[in-house]
Amino acid sequence: MSVKLEQSTIANASSLVLLQLFSRAFTFGLNQALVRLATPQTFGTAAVQFELLLSTILFLSREGVRNALLRSSVEGKKKHSNVALVENISLIPILLGVPISGLTALVYVQFASPSTASQPHFHLSVAVYAIAAILELLSEPLYIRAQNELRLNVRVRAEGVAVVSKSVVAFLVLALASGEWALVAFAAGQATYGLSLLVVFLGVYKGDINYVPKRVQTELHDNLTTSYFDTDLLNLSIAMTGQSVVKHFLTEGDKFLVSRLSPLEDQGGYAIASNYGSLVARIIFQPIEETSRLYFSKSLSSSSPKKPEKKGEDGVNSGSEQIASKVLSSLLLLFAHLLLLLVTFGPPYLSIATTLLLPPRFQNTSAPSILRSYVFYIPMMAFNGVLEAFFASTSTPSELKHQSRWMMVFSIVFVFAAYLLNQLGFGDSGLVYANVLNLFLRVVYCWSFARGYFGERGVGFRLSAAVPPRGVIGAFAWSYLVTRWSWKAYEHLPPKVLPQRNHIAVGIACVGICLVTCVLLERKLWRELAQVLRRR
């Protein structure tokens, strides 16, 4: 791995975290207002069903191409023909997205429940969401160019402007228009997001984009041939796009089931709980996952999907593979600490947090119980995100197909677990627990792949490297017992800050003890991270 790539990767991660922190802090305040302006039924339709519609269009149109092109090693100073072949592939999301958006919107409208379709301006809102998806896809070629050029500042600027614009527009329409325009308010916000992305990217690249694929002449065995796409990258894109269908169902399976099985009011509760529950995941883990995918793609693979050699010329495993193994192990170790933190302190203090965050009319929905299940869902998302980023960056088309077959099995397990938990009375939170099981199975699969990948190359990758020291585990275990005792002692008091101040003080003291223990016993890890950050 070059020094430039390492520095760019760290800069990417920190920039994305800052972007997510700013955008989520800004939208968090506006969302607090939005959930008080919109009814649970409207919020459920927009945040579950419309978001599912949008993510389906975007995921199926661009996910495979986006991940495949991260492996491209084509740079501006290479042959123009090679650059053009790759740029042609970056247009595929648009070519796919236009028909997919229209078809998906028609299918959704056709099968929408009567209670959903009877809401004011429902059909108009669906049409605007489909247009919003197309607007976002129009910026995809420039997004891919910025990623491959390691110009993450462009993406940070575009997404920052887009998030703020989306939130402001949705809030203004909700606040100024009558209640019957609530769905249109969310749709207008999403369309503003897509348009803002496109405008910023076009401004940065001075409109330097051609939406029509170019015919390119290339030389093969001294013969000139005409083609539109780089064959290896196209095949990889096709394989990853095919896998996206199964992966999308597993990723959004809970929303699929909630949108079909739960009443609109509970869908609103599910949506707000998901927004709050995954706030930490979106601020920290999403940037880590994306920059990990970029880092692993650039350092461990090329435009060819073939595996690199096991050994270097001197018979020693590649330095980039050693560093990649260390980076992956360190990330998993950090997420293990997160798991301990949430499991220890989440349940005793969630009732206080939900009283502060949730409006009164959402207290009687499924939101509180769903938030409790996120204690396990958030760390599992983190483990799965970084391991699947590694898998997507290093796997061959045949390995992608093999994973897809297993993911079909995981989807069956997810549906069965969701049904069983529903029968046992878990309600909507049972869907989250079923998703935890699904993510765990995917984590095990990708962990096994990573262990085999590094093992074939003579690089160590052990489970013990991702397990915190015994002293850290002991501190969290002691805190677990103390906070449960405090929880039991003060459970007769209202779940508000003042009545529960002594219980909160116990939690703060225990968190402090755990953090001090982590700093003292994990000094090597923090020192290594500090050294990497100083290289920026």
Side-chain angles (χ1 to χ4, degrees), residues 486-525:
S486 177
W487 188 16
K488 185 71 174 176
Y490 295 102
E491 67 178 352
H492 63 284
L493 298 175
K496 297 180 180 180
V497 173
L498 286 178
Q500 295 282 345
R501 58 186 180 277
N502 292 333
H503 178 47
I504 294 172
V506 170
I508 293 174
C510 289
V511 168
I513 291 172
C514 290
L515 290 179
V516 170
T517 305
C518 289
V519 170
L520 293 177
L521 298 183
E522 300 276 25
R523 280 174 293 183
K524 182 180 178 182
L525 174 63

Side-chain angles (χ1 to χ4, degrees), residues 258-329:
V258 166
S259 65
R260 302 308 302 171
L261 301 178
S262 298
L264 282 177
E265 183 173 337
D266 275 348
Q267 289 183 40
Y270 190 90
I272 193 172
S274 297
N275 283 337
Y276 290 148
S278 59
L279 193 63
V280 174
R282 289 195 298 268
I283 291 175
I284 299 177
F285 305 140
Q286 182 181 341
I288 289 176
E289 177 184 345
E290 293 179 4
T291 52
S292 296
R293 184 179 288 112
L294 177 63
Y295 165 73
F296 292 133
S297 295
K298 296 300 182 185
S299 64
L300 298 179
S301 64
S302 63
S303 59
S304 169
K306 294 179 181 179
K307 287 185 179 180
E309 296 294 326
K310 294 183 182 180
K311 303 285 183 180
E313 292 181 0
D314 56 358
V316 181
N317 46 273
S318 167
S320 62
E321 291 161 356
Q322 288 180 328
I323 296 173
S325 173
K326 191 172 185 179
V327 167
L328 186 56
S329 297

Side-chain angles (χ1 to χ4, degrees), residues 349-417:
Y349 296 96
L350 265 176
S351 59
I352 303 173
T354 54
T355 302
L356 291 173
L357 293 176
L358 296 180
R361 56 183 168 183
F362 281 86
Q363 294 284 354
N364 296 325
T365 67
S366 57
S369 63
I370 292 170
L371 281 171
R372 286 192 289 272
S373 62
Y374 265 79
V375 167
F376 304 97
Y377 186 51
I378 291 173
M380 203 56 66
M381 276 196 299
F383 286 120
N384 178 72
V386 71
L387 284 168
E388 286 202 343
F390 177 82
F391 180 88
S393 304
T394 56
S395 57
T396 63
S398 61
E399 288 166 338
L400 284 169
K401 291 179 182 177
H402 186 263
Q403 188 202 31
S404 295
R405 289 193 288 269
W406 274 103
M407 290 181 82
M408 288 292 292
V409 176
F410 300 157
S411 65
I412 295 172
V413 173
F414 165 73
V415 172
F416 176 77

